[in-house]
Amino acid sequence: MREGAAPGPAAGIAFAFRVGMDISVTPIARSGRRTAGVGQDSTTICVQGLGFVGIAMATAAAEAVGPDGRPLYRVVGVEKQGPRGERIAGDIRAGILPIATTDARLHQAFHEAVARGNLTATTNPAVYAEADVVIVDINLDVQLEANPPTANLSWIRDAARTIGRHIRPGALVLVETTVPPGTCEQVIRPALAESLTERGLDPGTVHIAHSYERVMPGPHYLDSIANYWRVYAGLTPEAADKCETFLKSIINTCDYPLTRLASTTASEMGKILENTYRATTIALMDEWGRFAEAAGVDLFEVIDAIRMRPTHANMRQPGLGVGGYCLTKDPMMAGIAARQILDLPDARFPLSEMAVRTNQRMPEAAIDRARTLLGGFAGKRVLLCGASYRSDVADTRYSPSETFYRGAMAEGAAVTVQDPLVTHWDELGLAPTAEIPEWHRFDAVIFAVAHAEYGEINFSHLPENGSTVFLDANRVLSPAQVSHIRSAGYELAFIGRGT
């Protein structure tokens, strides 16, 4: 959903629905608070993996209601056995959302579903035996440092085998995980078939489909599932039909139509190409940002002018760097698919791989600029504002702020991290402060993430001519804030803007 877009009129289309049965479609508007109980004949949905995608998908499914206003689904999230999985499942059962988010609607829908009794969680895989639909939302990591990069497909293979040991005939396995093209057909299907055959079941009685998520953490988190376009495909026409039926029950397809592709490999490729396109255009802006800084031009002003042209409205812009779990690795998956799955040794993706490497180096520009402003990092006190990989989220995976932090610390700086949403930075093992310390305590302040809270800072009362230098590394500060900082006599620099 575009920034600031209003939610659609309904978070989904209500169905009298059960997998394997005929359905009648009855669009309804969703109300805010519902207390209707879950009927005994409710369809059971299991969501494998309860991270940033899985918990939002589980909540969206639990929120779906039928023509009578009663929930359509009993939703059970399934986490991997172990201390972490037990903690997440226990938090969900206790009504504690296991992720930090600024989306008030997601908070409300989650708490209502838990209170209503149709959203729970477990680490016991035996629950898959009750599922009509199993949604796969586990991580698939890429070893970016390997030459060439590789993906640990054993994770997705083991997950499929676990499902196959319990799932019943007629059920649908819907893969949302971003995977290399060919995974559903050549990795997941054989793994499921192996477990089903061991149980004496016909592998063809379990249906496999792929529909990639487009979850966008932030204030419209839940709406990025319920009110957004979806692409999908099945290994068989029947699997695709079942996938379509399910998606229509949780997505507002009146306003956001579904798109069916010819194969699961095509659907898998759609997600990879979508994210590769985005990562490549961001990488392009990095070199133009350096050029604009050297030429004394405000590249953001230039980009805003170009965006007036409708064909270029989504033009990217420079910043601290690229982070998160998708754009940092997904462009590598085409090559991984060619080498590890599809046996296409001659396929090459130099632009895609160059984009990833370029984006990995982007934080070095902010490190270089800060080093120059300070005359070196040794012994300097630095305040890093923003730990997450993007604004208004608490996700620190592959955050470019981590690269900046490690680089500055390695050169002798004492770095204090502040973030209004991140309570613990797992990758670094530290807890950022929620309150913004006094500026005069630091030699440099780096604005790394455009959290909404930073846009509300009042700089009009800064003591004049202080020695603190400010670096806006991600177009965080407003023109008024810039004016106040400069009027008070402070040195202020930017990434993507020449002075």
Side-chain angles (χ1 to χ4, degrees), residues 19 128 131-134 167-173 205-208 242:
V19 173
Y128 293 129
D132 298 274
V133 180
V134 176
I167 199 168
R168 62 192 182 192
L172 171 68
V173 176
T205 60
V206 172
H207 308 283
I208 302 172
K242 289 179 178 290

Side-chain angles (χ1 to χ4, degrees), residues 15 24 30 35 67 94 109 171-172 175 245 250 270 327 349 427 449 461:
F15 280 75
S24 59
R30 291 191 175 186
T35 58
L172 171 68
V175 180
T245 297
I250 65 170
L327 302 189
F349 302 90
E427 292 80 3
V449 184
H461 301 298

Side-chain angles (χ1 to χ4, degrees), residues 87-136:
R87 174 181 57 79
I88 293 173
D91 282 349
I92 291 171
R93 291 194 299 270
I96 301 171
L97 190 65
I99 60 171
T101 176
T102 57
D103 185 358
R105 199 169 92 74
L106 177 56
H107 275 285
Q108 179 179 346
F110 168 79
H111 292 300
E112 287 182 354
V114 173
R116 204 166 44 233
N118 73 316
L119 176 57
T120 188
T122 183
T123 59
N124 185 356
V127 74
Y128 293 129
E130 304 173 24
D132 298 274
V133 180
V134 176
I135 304 171
V136 179

Side-chain angles (χ1 to χ4, degrees), residues 1 5-8 10-11 63 103 105-106 214 216 219-229 256:
M1 179 174 292
E63 193 186 33
D103 185 358
R105 199 169 92 74
L106 177 56
R214 285 166 165 159
M216 292 179 287
H220 304 296
Y221 205 155
L222 188 56
D223 277 311
S224 69
I225 291 178
N227 288 293
Y228 215 69
W229 298 270
Y256 303 95

